[in-house]
Each structure stands twice: as structure tokens, then as C-alpha cells.
Amino acid sequence: MTPPRIRPPFVADERTQLVGWLDMQRAIVHYKCEGLAEADAHRSVLPASPLMTVAGIVSHLRWTENTWFEVLFLGRPADGPQFAESPEDADMRVEGVPLARLLGDYERQCAISNEIIAAHSLDEAGRHPDYESSAASLRWMLIHMVEETARHAGHLDTVRELLDGERGYY
């Protein structure tokens, strides 16, 4: 089931607004996948970017959430396809993985991220000893994830329209 696309309140505390905007962008990712044929989810439509498929983008977003909130912020081990030395962009290489599974993995990862965000101060810095970017505050990481997710939701807009003509924000 696609999460509702709800903007955060006009007046709310910072955390509510930041998480609200991130959740809105996450919901748009799900929305852009609604009704898409499985073959199309894995079909490349951008010749210079063959991994930029709907399935590849969803997988990338899942692993990006993991990287920023679990690995860089909490300091958990850096294991996952996004840390593989080869092949390049391993987190986007999802041939044969059903889109429904990728969306479920993404949804579960987002829930973990939201639990982490809720349990920590926005001023707290990450703690992974091996990555310079872990010095960023949770606030910085949260703003970055709004940007990252929105950018890829825009990619999904384009890819989806090229695949089957589906357009729309709401």
C-alpha cells in the first residue's frame, strides 16, 4: 500500500517539519511505482545511465537511508552494496529483484531511519570513525536526505513518463 502524500503542517517544530518533508518525498517514491509493470521497473530508458531504472532508484534510496542513519550516524558496520568496491553502483544493480520486494525493503529502512531520528537530538553528530561525513549533525543528515530523496523522486518522474506516459504529482 502506498503511504499517504501529506505535507507537514505550516507551523510545527523543526523535527516535525523535516521528517514530514522527508516522509512526503518517500511517499512520492512509492506513488511513482504504483501500477508499473515489473518488466518496466527494470527497464532502462536513459542511454547514458543504464542503471537509472525505477527498481535501481528505489534500491539506491533504501541503501542511502541505511548509509546516513545507521552507518554514518549510529556508527554501525559499513556493509551493504553501497560500500562494495566493485561493481560500481552495486546498490542499483537489482536485476531480477521484484519491485514489490525493493519497495518493502525501502519502507522498512525508512521506518528504521525514523526510529533513529526520533531517538536523537538534531544537534548530535554522527559517530562512524572511518568516514569524514559522519561528523555531520543529524539535522544536516536529515536535510540531506530530503534533498537526496526529492532529487531521485524527480528522476522517477522522468523515468516513469518515458516508460509508460504516467505523469503527475498527486
Side-chain angles (χ1 to χ4, degrees), residues 17-98:
Q17 290 189 359
L18 289 173
V19 173
W21 280 112
L22 181 54
D23 282 343
M24 170 75 166
Q25 295 306 312
R26 290 165 170 164
I28 290 169
V29 169
H30 284 269
Y31 168 66
K32 292 315 235 169
C33 296
E34 280 182 358
L36 185 63
E38 191 64 42
D40 283 343
H42 293 273
R43 187 159 57 99
S44 176
V45 294
L46 302 172
S49 301
L51 297 177
M52 189 70 74
T53 64
V54 170
I57 293 168
V58 171
S59 178
H60 170 72
L61 284 169
R62 177 266 174 112
W63 289 110
T64 301
E65 293 261 352
N66 170 267
T67 297
W68 283 101
F69 297 119
E70 290 193 66
V71 177
L72 298 174
F73 184 72
L74 291 182
R76 292 181 179 160
D79 53 2
Q82 74 277 33
F83 296 105
E85 289 188 29
S86 69
E88 186 177 4
D89 297 320
D91 62 330
M92 296 182 80
R93 296 176 184 273
V94 291
E95 299 84 14
V97 181

